Amino acid sequence: MIDPLVVELSRWQFAATALFHFLFVPLTLGLTFIVAAMETVYVTTGRTIYREMAQFWGKLLLINFALGVATGLTMEFQFGTNWSFYSSFVGDIFGAPLAVEGLMAFFMESTFIGLMVFGWERLSKIQHLIVTYLVALGSNLSALWILVANGFMQAPEGAVFNPLTMRMELASFAELIFGHDAQSKFVHTSIAGYVTAAIFVCGVSAFYMLRKQHMELARRSFRMAALFGVLSAVGVITLGDALGFVGGHAQPTKLAAMEALWRTEKPPVGFNVIAIPDQQKMENAYELQIPYLLTPLVTRSLDHVIPGADTLVAQAKQRIVSGIEAVGALRALQDNPEDEAALSRFLAHEDDLGYGFLVGAYAPDQDPTVADDAAIERAARDAIPSVATIFWSFRVMVACGLLMLMFFILAVIYTLRNTVERQRWFLGASVLMLPVPWIACEAGWLVAEIGRQPWTVYEVLPTWMSVSTHSAGYMLFSLAGFLLLYSIFIVIEMFLMLRAIRQGPSSHRPTGSAGAAGETALAAPVRSAEV
Amino acid sequence: MGTLIRFVVFFAIAMIVIVLAIILGDYGAWYFAWVLGTVMIVLVSAAGGALLDTQESEKTEEDGAR
Amino acid sequence: MEIYLLLKVLWWLLLGVLLMGVAIMVGMDMGVGTILRLVGRTDAERRVALNIIGPHWDGNQVWFILGGGAIFAAWPLIYATAFSGLYVVMLLLLWSMIVRPLGFEYRSKIDLPAWRSAWDWALFVSGFVPMLVFGAAVGNMLQGVPFRFEWNLASVYSGSFLSLLNPFAILCGLLAVSLSVYMGGAMLMNRGEDVLYRRAQRLVVRSGLVALALFSLGGIWVYFLDGYQLVQSPDPAIAQTPLQQVVERAVGGWLGNYQRTPLLWLIPFSVYATTLLGVAAARSGRSHLAWWLGALAWIGVIGTVGAAMFPFMMPSSLEPSHSLTVWNASSSQLTLTWMTGWSVVFVPLILWYTSWCFWVMRGKVNERDVASDEHAY
């Protein structure tokens, strides 16, 4: 028997640790490339200010990177510790990208980041530049494989269920890697990291310009980050739309929740700008619509029908009934693998196996084969994830994205004219922009992962079945432990990060003697390893 | 005033680029786009940095000529 | 279908290689953490010790992460059952391990004795505890873990986590700690000087001898321990689940493989040879040789356990017939094939650039360098 409280606590623990991990990942994804761009200018022009920039932002990167590594460590093992049924059920496919991530990406990133930090005096300019690029590439390839794995959870492609071994098994590695969800989600996430890092660099540089400190470093960093950011912001919005299109087709329940679409209506339907969804009554208590907009936005046509929650629940009900047959046949097959009748019954209902599992949560003894109509009704209603949460998280993310695009356009205009240091209101705004990308990233994670509910693997494996059969006491203990440990971590990290920003690059100068009033004069020749 | 006009123009360009990209690729070859895009973003950003140094030295020359 | 059989055995061997990688590389860094407060009496000395492994600890740690990923991909049932069955112990391992990256990155950011001393203790905990748990986990595998499967292969556990920290498991844990101290000490000898070198040398000699004593004691203990024997099972070359076999327990059962194939005795003997030679090499100041002999000792220790248990990977003490073996816990043939392909390409690459990284950072580290280098930990 699986305790619903354990399911709830396992979900909270995974969400808390993943959201926390994802505070550090995006900055790493982008800042590594920004640092690489700075070092590229240093190597091509030979101006030491760019080396100083690469080292300063590299130092901030490292403070962030340490926590990214630490919190990532627990993620790699949490599937096994807390989601053991999930792990054995889909490990045949899901484990492979995680392993390849280690082989291809994480080894590269982690080995070379040591050289990136310690190798300035031991490597030639070109060698060090290559090392920096390898760190950037490694961290993004890491994200690639994680999102390939996540893409499988969202839109399971390249796998088949094997009734003999009772698990999903790999059918095509290519389909797994080149799944539409994996492709668009990786690029969306990676570039969201670029935007995050660009806002970070702009914000911190603006802070220096406001205080008239480190002007040479700040102006150059702001210029490079603004250009980096404006292109990335365009990219992230494009890919966000592509992901919405792909996800809308693969996961109609997520789409219905994102748009608070309760009823299937004649196309073209309107776009809800604001809505107050009521999950119980399956309607919006209030909505503000732009007519006709939604259909062309998500289907690229005027006459495609977008299924609303009512249709989806009705479909779920049918599939549950069929899925119950599949579970029964599977059980018979486990008792007697030679049972031909059971095999043919299973094959007839195989596609709905996941829906059969879904109803188990409400069936007596959690046995789907004895589920009554009330249980089927409840399970079918569960097929629609929490609309209010997803609807609003989605809008917060989109609003943040558009806001950042507008910010970067202004930033580029000012910085190309070289007047940004005089626009004090804009510098203030840049500092205020600092939390925005993190809000967008976390909101995006919520849309993607809450939108996938009630499944861990969409329409294949329900969340309630995926957990390890721990006691609630164990779960409370571990959740409390993680919260305590991570709270201490974030306090220390923020303290060190703010301290390093306040100290600025002056404390970072190789000569060790800080310039007057902490000002790093460009003219002063900085010692270079190569001379 | 010039800033506002430029902002509007740039924003319009950005929107056109986004819409074009969306029309071009619903099920796009996004991995490939990522490789090209990242290279472009890094290069543009690096060029922007180098341009600032050029602007700087031109300005110093102008000041010197005056 | 014979290919499937070969792939299963290959991935059992590769799992061994990964565990050896974790033990040697991560164990070395953790050993340095464990003895940090002993080899370094002053802050400057401790910083030297940290900077000796500073450029490498992050890359080394990936052995551990890759270990997790590879078990997930190649042995999903082991990944699912072991990590959830050993829940509280795994939490101890993870919680102590995640403090380590912060210990390296944050310790030297602030020049306050209390701050640095706190991180020294954190580094000690994150060096000692994970190695203890690592060894204890292997000890538990030898004893069997209390789990069984339901009809759909959902695993159920009984017993409290305290039973996982029983005397035999602690013995195995201490063996792992002493070998990690040996390796950490040898690394400090390689790149350290003066007092640091001499203190590390003393620790290498002592921990090597302690490891040998614990290894011998463990061997005798296993002789009296319940081992597991496959009585009946499907053809090893076909796909199967742990619900289709019969397993029995017998005292001294883990020595069965050695009795059937006496050549295997060479593996435990190699541990004695390499450890004794390693201790001698450390005493005579040949630290690089001592390091490599220590690595061979690790390979011998893990090989000894593997040779005893094959084909078992994770026996069940609750329901012996549900034990996980090389034959019933692996992933599908296609997954194993793909994983083999990726490994063939990337493992040599990893070994190559890791060696290059060590080569670039070669040479002695001293206090003056650390104090003047603004990148240092």
Side-chain angles (χ1 to χ4, degrees):
Chain A
M1 287 294 283
I2 296 166
D3 184 349
L5 180 63
V6 171
V7 179
E8 203 58 28
L9 290 171
S10 300
R11 285 187 62 195
W12 275 101
Q13 181 171 312
F14 198 92
T17 49
L19 284 169
F20 191 78
H21 178 54
F22 207 54
L23 287 174
F24 309 102
V25 174
L27 187 59
T28 301
L29 294 180
L31 200 51
T32 44
F33 268 118
I34 294 186
V35 168
M38 289 168 175
E39 204 179 326
T40 307
V41 183
Y42 164 62
V43 171
T44 48
T45 67
R47 303 186 75 115
T48 47
I49 178 79
Y50 289 99
R51 174 186 152 117
E52 207 176 311
M53 279 157 62
Q55 291 190 346
F56 171 66
W57 295 109
K59 186 169 82 171
L60 300 189
L61 169 70
L62 256 286
I63 294 175
N64 174 72
F65 187 82
L67 260 184
V69 170
T71 54
L73 205 60
T74 54
M75 299 313 299
E76 181 90 5
F77 292 87
Q78 197 165 177
F79 300 103
T81 54
N82 292 87
W83 302 91
S84 75
F85 189 75
Y86 170 86
S87 302
S88 59
F89 194 76
V90 296
D92 198 66
I93 314 112
F94 189 84
L98 293 199
V100 181
E101 185 245 5
L103 277 173
M104 180 197 270
F106 204 57
F107 246 116
M108 182 160 99
E109 174 189 9
S110 299
T111 304
F112 287 117
I113 201 153
L115 276 189
M116 183 178 150
V117 176
F118 288 88
W120 282 102
E121 267 78 40
R122 288 179 184 246
L123 296 170
S124 73
K125 273 187 192 178
I126 297 286
Q127 277 177 328
H128 194 278
L129 181 67
I130 292 172
V131 163
T132 306
Y133 271 107
L134 287 177
V135 171
L137 185 66
S139 60
N140 278 276
L141 285 180
S142 253
L144 166 71
W145 288 103
I146 297 302
L147 291 166
V148 164
N150 183 269
F152 172 77
M153 299 169 78
Q154 306 286 352
E157 288 176 77
V160 287
F161 182 77
N162 182 345
L164 273 178
T165 50
M166 278 293 301
R167 65 179 178 195
M168 299 294 288
E169 290 186 351
L170 184 67
S172 158
F173 210 90
E175 273 181 45
L176 177 67
I177 302 177
F178 294 104
H180 297 303
D181 192 277
Q183 288 224 22
S184 45
K185 179 167 281 173
F186 160 64
V187 184
H188 182 61
T189 310
S190 162
I191 300 185
Y194 298 179
V195 175
T196 306
I199 291 270
F200 177 75
V201 173
C202 280
V204 174
S205 304
F207 172 73
Y208 289 147
M209 286 193 265
L210 273 176
R211 299 179 31 154
K212 302 207 186 306
Q213 288 175 329
H214 320 300
M215 287 303 278
E216 296 298 332
L217 175 132
R219 288 172 55 215
R220 283 171 176 76
S221 301
F222 192 94
R223 160 76 65 92
M224 291 186 68
L227 286 167
F228 196 92
V230 77
L231 296 176
S232 305
V234 168
V236 88
I237 293 171
T238 308
L239 262 299
D241 184 88
L243 184 57
F245 178 79
V246 169
H249 283 247
Q251 295 173 292
T253 49
K254 184 188 275 177
L255 181 65
M258 275 160 74
E259 306 299 351
L261 201 64
W262 293 107
R263 255 167 297 285
T264 309
E265 282 163 23
K266 193 174 157 306
V269 294
F271 173 80
N272 287 325
V273 183
I274 296 175
I276 302 174
D278 184 336
Q279 191 97 12
Q280 211 56 46
K281 291 187 191 152
M282 291 189 64
E283 63 182 33
N284 291 330
Y286 170 80
E287 57 189 31
L288 178 69
Q289 267 199 350
I290 303 175
Y292 308 131
L293 183 61
L294 186 63
T295 304
L297 209 57
V298 300
T299 67
R300 321 272 195 257
S301 78
L302 288 173
D303 52 0
H304 273 75
V305 177
I306 307 171
D310 54 353
T311 313
L312 295 169
V313 168
Q315 281 172 3
K317 224 178 281 181
Q318 284 173 2
R319 296 191 67 178
I320 288 170
V321 173
S322 161
I324 291 171
E325 292 291 314
V327 176
L330 188 62
R331 192 136 194 196
L333 269 178
Q334 279 297 302
D335 294 338
N336 176 17
E338 312 293 318
D339 190 340
E340 293 287 336
L343 184 63
S344 60
R345 189 156 68 104
F346 175 75
L347 291 176
H349 298 282
E350 187 184 0
D351 289 344
D352 299 321
L353 180 66
Y355 280 91
F357 288 147
L358 184 65
V359 76
Y362 300 116
D365 293 330
Q366 298 184 341
D367 178 1
T369 51
V370 294
D372 54 11
D373 286 346
I376 293 174
E377 177 71 34
R378 280 177 77 185
R381 290 283 296 257
D382 271 1
I384 306 298
S386 168
V387 175
T389 319
I390 298 162
F391 179 87
W392 283 109
S393 302
F394 180 60
R395 268 146 194 77
V396 166
M397 176 183 73
V398 171
C400 288
L402 289 173
L403 179 66
M404 287 188 282
L405 176 65
M406 291 193 264
F407 167 79
F408 280 125
I409 289 175
L410 262 185
V412 166
I413 292 173
Y414 286 136
T415 185
L416 285 182
R417 282 204 212 137
N418 255 343
T419 59
V420 66
E421 62 262 44
R422 274 177 269 144
Q423 309 288 345
R424 297 192 66 80
W425 73 271
F426 187 71
L427 294 177
S430 308
V431 177
L432 291 179
M433 283 297 286
L434 275 171
V436 175
W438 275 274
I439 295 171
C441 287
E442 302 280 298
W445 189 89
L446 289 177
V447 174
E449 308 307 318
I450 296 182
R452 193 193 63 232
Q453 299 303 325
W455 310 97
T456 39
V457 180
Y458 193 70
E459 293 187 334
V460 170
L461 183 65
T463 307
W464 76 270
M465 261 180 88
S466 308
V467 294
S468 306
T469 51
H470 294 309
S471 65
Y474 269 19
M475 286 308 306
L476 280 173
F477 167 71
S478 59
L479 183 57
F482 273 112
L483 288 180
L484 178 71
L485 209 54
Y486 281 14
S487 308
I488 297 172
F489 283 2
I490 191 81
V491 169
I492 295 174
E493 201 257 6
M494 290 298 283
F495 170 71
L496 287 177
M497 185 65 97
L498 292 176
R499 190 168 174 274
I501 290 172
R502 258 200 319 275
Q503 281 180 344
S506 54
S507 67
H508 195 66
R509 289 179 62 188
T511 44
S513 58
E519 197 70 42
T520 50
L522 168 67
V526 180
R527 188 194 65 174
S528 143
E530 289 72 43
V531 283
Chain B
M1 203 57 215
T3 307
L4 182 68
I5 293 169
R6 279 185 199 210
F7 176 79
V8 171
V9 170
F10 282 172
F11 193 77
I13 293 174
M15 283 301 154
I16 291 168
V17 169
I18 290 171
V19 169
L20 276 181
I22 286 168
I23 292 169
L24 278 179
D26 285 331
Y27 291 119
W30 291 120
Y31 290 154
F32 183 63
W34 176 79
V35 173
L36 288 186
T38 301
V39 171
M40 185 186 76
I41 291 170
V42 167
L43 287 182
V44 168
S45 159
L51 178 69
L52 193 143
D53 283 311
T54 320
Q55 287 174 330
E56 204 97 307
S57 54
E58 273 175 10
K59 211 169 122 199
T60 351
E61 275 169 27
E62 275 172 28
D63 290 350
R66 223 172 279 155
Chain C
M1 286 308 267
E2 292 303 315
I3 294 172
Y4 195 19
L5 176 70
L6 286 178
L7 281 171
K8 286 178 183 179
V9 176
L10 173 70
W11 273 91
W12 178 76
L13 290 171
L14 283 177
L15 177 64
V17 171
L18 270 172
L19 287 180
M20 290 164 192
V22 172
I24 294 168
M25 305 303 278
V26 187
M28 165 180 83
D29 298 339
M30 289 185 166
V32 172
T34 307
I35 58 175
L36 185 63
R37 299 183 66 91
L38 291 174
V39 289
R41 305 277 155 81
T42 65
D43 179 57
E45 286 167 9
R46 286 177 191 166
R47 285 191 70 185
V48 172
L50 285 179
N51 279 284
I52 284 174
I53 52 167
H56 310 296
W57 71 269
D58 200 354
N60 291 344
Q61 181 170 264
V62 183
W63 282 100
F64 180 74
I65 294 167
L66 179 61
I71 295 178
F72 203 169
W75 307 101
L77 267 175
I78 305 271
Y79 178 88
T81 316
F83 294 163
S84 58
L86 308 176
Y87 191 58
V88 176
V89 179
M90 275 303 291
L91 287 177
L92 278 182
L93 176 77
L94 292 174
W95 287 346
S96 54
M97 262 195 93
I98 58 178
V99 179
R100 218 162 59 100
L102 310 191
F104 282 104
E105 296 291 348
Y106 295 170
R107 181 187 180 281
S108 302
K109 295 265 183 239
I110 293 178
D111 196 4
L112 275 177
W115 170 268
R116 294 196 168 176
S117 173
W119 283 116
D120 289 343
W121 280 112
L123 282 165
F124 166 75
V125 169
S126 65
F128 182 82
V129 174
M131 282 323 279
L132 189 74
V133 171
F134 180 68
V138 175
N140 273 297
M141 295 297 152
L142 278 164
Q143 292 168 304
V145 182
F147 69 91
R148 62 177 180 79
F149 290 107
E150 301 199 10
W151 71 276
N152 59 5
L153 292 183
S155 49
V156 183
Y157 333 96
S158 73
S160 80
F161 91 96
L162 283 175
S163 66
L164 299 172
L165 295 175
N166 55 62
F168 178 72
I170 302 267
L171 174 88
C172 296
L174 289 176
L175 171 59
V177 170
S178 52
L179 277 175
S180 82
V181 167
Y182 175 102
M183 294 298 287
M187 183 67 190
L188 292 183
M189 283 175 75
N190 283 346
R191 296 190 64 201
E193 293 174 332
D194 305 331
V195 274
L196 191 71
Y197 179 92
R198 283 196 298 279
R199 288 177 194 146
Q201 187 176 30
R202 242 189 339 262
L203 281 165
V204 170
V205 172
R206 284 182 197 167
S207 61
L209 295 175
V210 168
L212 213 51
L214 292 171
F215 181 72
S216 312
L217 193 60
I220 297 167
W221 202 319
V222 166
Y223 182 78
F224 296 104
L225 208 62
D226 271 1
Y228 293 73
Q229 300 288 325
L230 261 184
V231 178
Q232 188 200 329
S233 71
D235 181 358
I238 63 166
Q240 54 196 288
T241 72
L243 303 177
Q244 300 161 339
Q245 62 186 358
V246 180
V247 170
E248 273 178 4
R249 300 213 290 186
V251 175
W254 288 140
L255 298 179
N257 284 344
Y258 288 99
Q259 281 155 6
R260 278 186 291 276
T261 321
L263 208 62
L264 289 176
W265 284 108
L266 283 177
I267 304 175
F269 283 128
S270 79
V271 177
Y272 285 89
T274 49
T275 314
L276 287 174
L277 284 173
V279 167
R283 287 187 72 142
S284 62
R286 274 177 255 174
S287 63
H288 285 275
L289 183 63
W291 192 94
W292 283 105
L293 284 166
L296 286 176
W298 259 125
I299 293 172
V301 168
I302 292 172
T304 303
V305 176
M309 290 182 70
F310 186 87
F312 284 91
M313 298 182 75
M314 184 177 172
S316 163
S317 57
L318 187 65
E319 187 81 57
S321 290
H322 288 189
S323 295
L324 295 172
T325 67
V326 177
W327 316 130
N328 64 28
S330 80
S331 45
S332 66
Q333 184 173 341
L334 185 61
T335 302
L336 290 182
T337 310
W338 270 101
M339 290 308 301
T340 308
W342 288 107
S343 307
V344 166
V345 175
F346 283 103
V347 170
L349 210 58
I350 290 167
L351 294 177
W352 172 67
Y353 62 61
T354 305
S355 324
W356 182 69
C357 187
F358 273 90
W359 184 79
V360 168
M361 299 309 300
R362 70 196 178 281
K364 297 280 182 186
V365 178
N366 61 41
E367 293 179 17
R368 216 182 41 252
D369 292 344
V370 171
S372 67
D373 182 357
E374 83 276 19
H375 308 301
Y377 285 135

